[in-house]
Amino acid sequence: MQLVFVQFMTGLASAASLFLVASGLSIIFGVTRIVNFAHGAFYMLGAYVAYTLTERFTGVFGFWFSLVAAAAIVAALGCLLEMVLLRRIYHAPELFQLLATFGVTLMVEDLVLLIWGPEDLVGPRAPGLGGAVVMFGKRIPSYDLFLIALGPLVLAALWLLFHRTRWGVLVRAATHDRAMVAALGINQKWLFTGVFALGVFLAAIGGALQIPRDAVNHSMDLRIIVEVFVVVVIGGLGSTTGAFVAAIIVSELNAFGILVLPKISLVLVFVVMAVVLVVRPWGLFGKMPPPAQAAAGTTVRPWRPLGRIELMIAGAVVALIAALPLVLSDYALTVGSEILIFTLFAASLHLLMTVGGLASFGHAAYFGLGSYGAAFAVKAAGLPMLLAVFAGPVLAAVGAAIVGWFAVSLTGVYFAMLTLAFSQIVWSIAFQWVSVTGGDNGILGIWPAAFASHPAGFFWITLAFVVPALAFLQMVIFSPFGYALRATRDSELRAEAIGIDRKRTQWIAFVMAGAAAGLGGALFAFLKGSVFPDVMGIPTSVDGLVMVLLGGIETVLGPIVGAVVFKALSIWLMSQTDYSKLVLGAAIVAIVLAFPKGIVGSLADLRARLEAGRAARRAETVAATSSEAAIKEAQP
C-alpha cells in the first residue's frame, strides 16, 4: 500500500505540469481552431529559458521570478509568432496551420541545440522545497506536494478568468461561434493573440516548473506533445476541466502502468484514448462540434483528370525517370528509390485527406505493416521478393480494415487522434513482441532478389510497382466510387439522402489507402534490407502529412511534388549541415506563406487567374470590336 501511495502521489505531481500544457493547447484550439504542433516547443523553451535565468538569479525570489519571467518571455515569442505567421494563414485550411507549426517545431529543435548545446541540463532545486514530507511512512518530495496543490489552483483561476471577466466571456463565445463574435464588432485579431499568449504562457510555465524534477533536454517537445494531445482529446477539446481530469488519468496510468501492466505500459494511455473516443467521440467533457465549415478537399479549385496532352507529358516524364539509372550514381539511385516509395505513401494518404476529407495522424502504421508483411513472407514463408512484396499490402489492408471500422465513426481531429492511438498500439506490438518482430532489434536480412540487388535494378523494380499503383489511385479518385466518397466528404446528410452509406464508403477508402501504403512499406523493407518498429512511428506519419500538404490537396500532382520536394530537401540538408531541421523548418514555413494551398494548388490557382485575365481581355476586345462595327454601320 505504501508503494501504491507513492506512485499515486508521483502521478498527481506529474499531472500538474501536464495539465498546464494541455489546458493551454485546449484553449488555443477552442478559439483559433489551430492544432498547434509547436506547443511542445514552447514547453521546452520555457524549461531552457527558466534554467538560464535560475543560473543568473539565485535565492527564493530569484528562483520563482525566473520561472514566471521565463514563461512571460516565451509567451511574448508566442505572440510574435501568432502575429507574424499564424495571423496570415487563419483562413487557410486547419491542416496547413498544422504544417506551419510543425515547421516552427523543427526550427526550435535546432535553435535549442545551437544555443544550449546537446547536453542535458540539471536545474536547481526549488528553495524551501528541497526536502520531503513523511506521509504513511514514505517520504514525499515537498516540491511534488507543491505541484499537487498548484494544479487545482490554476484550474480555479482559469474558471474565474473565463466566467467572471469580460475577456473570458468573449473567449468562451468565440469558442462556440467565432462568426457571431466578429458580427458583434469584436476585434478577433487581438482576441486570438491574447488567447495564443495565454496558451503559450501555460505551456512555458509547465516546462519551467519541471526543471527541479527532470533534466532539461532537446527531446522534451516531442515527448510532451503526444501526451498533451492525448489529454486534450480524452478531456474534450476546449474544456479546461476535461484537461484537468484527463491529465490526472493519463499521469496515473503512466505511474501505475509500469507496475501493473508492464507489457502494455507504453501504449496504455492510447488504449484508454481509443476506448474513450469509441464510446464518447467528443471526449469526457467535450461537446459535439459544430458542422464543419469546409472539408479538407474543398479548399482548392475542383480538379479534373489529366487530358490527352497531359497524359502524354506524364508518360514522357515516366520514360525520362526510367532512363535515370543510365546517368545517375548508385547513391543517387538509392535516394531516388526512396523518393518513389514515399511518393506512393504520400499518394495513399492524399486519397484519404483530399477525396475522403479524413486526415490520418497514424498512416505510418500501414506503411510499417507492409514492411513487416514482406519481412514475414521472406523469413517465415521463404517467399521470393516479388511474392513477398505483395504480402505487404495484404497485411496492411487487414490492419486498415480493423482500424478503419472504428475510425470512420468519427470526423475531424477526433478521427485523426483515434488513428494516432491505433498507430501507437500497432507500434507497441511491433516493439514488444520480440519473439515475432524482433523488438527494437528488428528483422534483418530482407535482401532483394539478384535481379534487383543493384541500385539500378531496384530502382526499375520500384518504378514498376509505384507507377501502376499511382495510376490506380488516380483511377479510383475519378471513378463513381471516388465521386461518392467526395459526396460523403462534402455533405454527409445529402450523401445519405441519395443512398450513399458514408461509413461503408469511407471504410473502403481507408482500406485502399492502407493497402497502397503497405505496398510502399514492402518496397522500403527491401530497400533498407531490414525492418524496425520506428518505421511506423509518429515521425513517419507526420512526414506523410507534410508531403501531402506541401504539394497541395485537391490536386493531381500534389502528393508527388510534395514527396519529391520534402524527401529530396531532407536528405540533401542532412548531408550538408548539422542544423538541417532549422533550414527545413524555415523552408516549410516559407512555402506555407508563399503557397498557402500547397505548391501545386497555388500554382494551379495562379494559372486559373491568368487564364481568367486573358479571357476577360479577349472579351473586352471582342466587345470593343463589336461596338466599333455597330458605330460604323449606324453612320450614313
Side-chain angles (χ1 to χ4, degrees), residues 26 79 125 148 159 251 278 287 319 328 353 356 361 390 453 497-498 519 531 568 576 589 626:
S26 184
C79 285
R125 295 293 182 184
I148 292 171
W159 188 91
S251 297
V278 170
K287 297 180 180 179
L328 294 182
M353 291 177 60
F361 284 6
F390 287 105
S453 58
I498 60 176
L519 176 59
V531 182
Q576 297 296 317
V589 171
S626 301

Side-chain angles (χ1 to χ4, degrees), residues 145-164:
L145 295 176
F146 163 75
L147 291 178
I148 292 171
L150 180 65
L153 291 177
V154 173
L155 177 63
L158 290 175
W159 188 91
L160 291 174
L161 175 65
F162 292 130
H163 290 82
R164 293 293 184 266

Side-chain angles (χ1 to χ4, degrees), residues 383-450:
L383 296 179
M385 174 188 172
L386 293 180
L387 292 180
V389 166
F390 287 105
V394 171
L395 181 59
V398 172
I402 297 172
V403 174
W405 182 262
F406 298 97
V408 296
S409 299
L410 307 179
T411 57
V413 176
Y414 296 101
F415 169 87
M417 294 306 297
L418 187 57
T419 59
L420 173 64
F422 279 114
S423 175
Q424 286 300 99
I425 293 171
V426 174
W427 169 84
S428 175
I429 293 172
F431 185 80
Q432 293 185 305
W433 200 0
V434 179
S435 61
V436 176
T437 65
D440 56 351
N441 293 321
I443 302 176
L444 307 178
I446 315 300
W447 303 117

Side-chain angles (χ1 to χ4, degrees), residues 126-301:
L129 296 174
V133 177
V134 178
M135 301 178 67
F136 296 99
K138 289 291 184 179
R139 295 173 61 85
I140 307 298
S142 300
Y143 192 73
D144 283 4
L145 295 176
F146 163 75
L147 291 178
I148 292 171
L150 180 65
L153 291 177
V154 173
L155 177 63
L158 290 175
W159 188 91
L160 291 174
L161 175 65
F162 292 130
H163 290 82
R164 293 293 184 266
T165 66
R166 181 176 182 273
W167 185 82
V169 171
L170 291 177
V171 170
R172 289 194 296 124
T175 302
H176 294 288
D177 195 336
R178 288 187 294 177
M180 183 59 69
V181 171
L184 293 175
I186 305 301
N187 190 327
Q188 285 198 51
K189 291 183 178 180
W190 291 112
L191 180 65
F192 285 9
T193 302
V195 168
F196 199 84
L198 174 61
V200 171
F201 180 86
L202 291 171
I205 196 68
L209 287 169
Q210 285 299 299
I211 64 172
R213 302 183 77 226
D214 297 317
V216 182
N217 58 79
H218 60 275
S219 63
M220 294 176 66
D221 55 343
L222 293 181
R223 185 180 65 191
I224 193 68
I225 192 63
V226 176
E227 285 193 347
V228 168
F229 274 126
V230 171
V231 167
V232 170
V233 170
I234 291 178
L237 289 167
S239 172
T240 53
T241 303
F244 180 77
V245 174
I248 294 176
I249 293 174
V250 169
S251 297
E252 295 298 348
L253 286 173
N254 288 332
F256 285 101
I258 193 66
L259 296 177
V260 181
L261 299 168
K263 292 294 185 180
I264 62 170
S265 59
L266 292 175
V267 292
L268 189 57
V269 294
F270 292 99
V271 173
V272 173
M273 182 175 73
V275 172
V276 169
L277 289 179
V278 170
V279 175
R280 187 174 172 81
W282 305 290
L284 297 176
F285 292 84
K287 297 180 180 179
M288 181 183 296
Q293 301 266 333
T298 60
T299 57
V300 183
R301 291 182 305 103

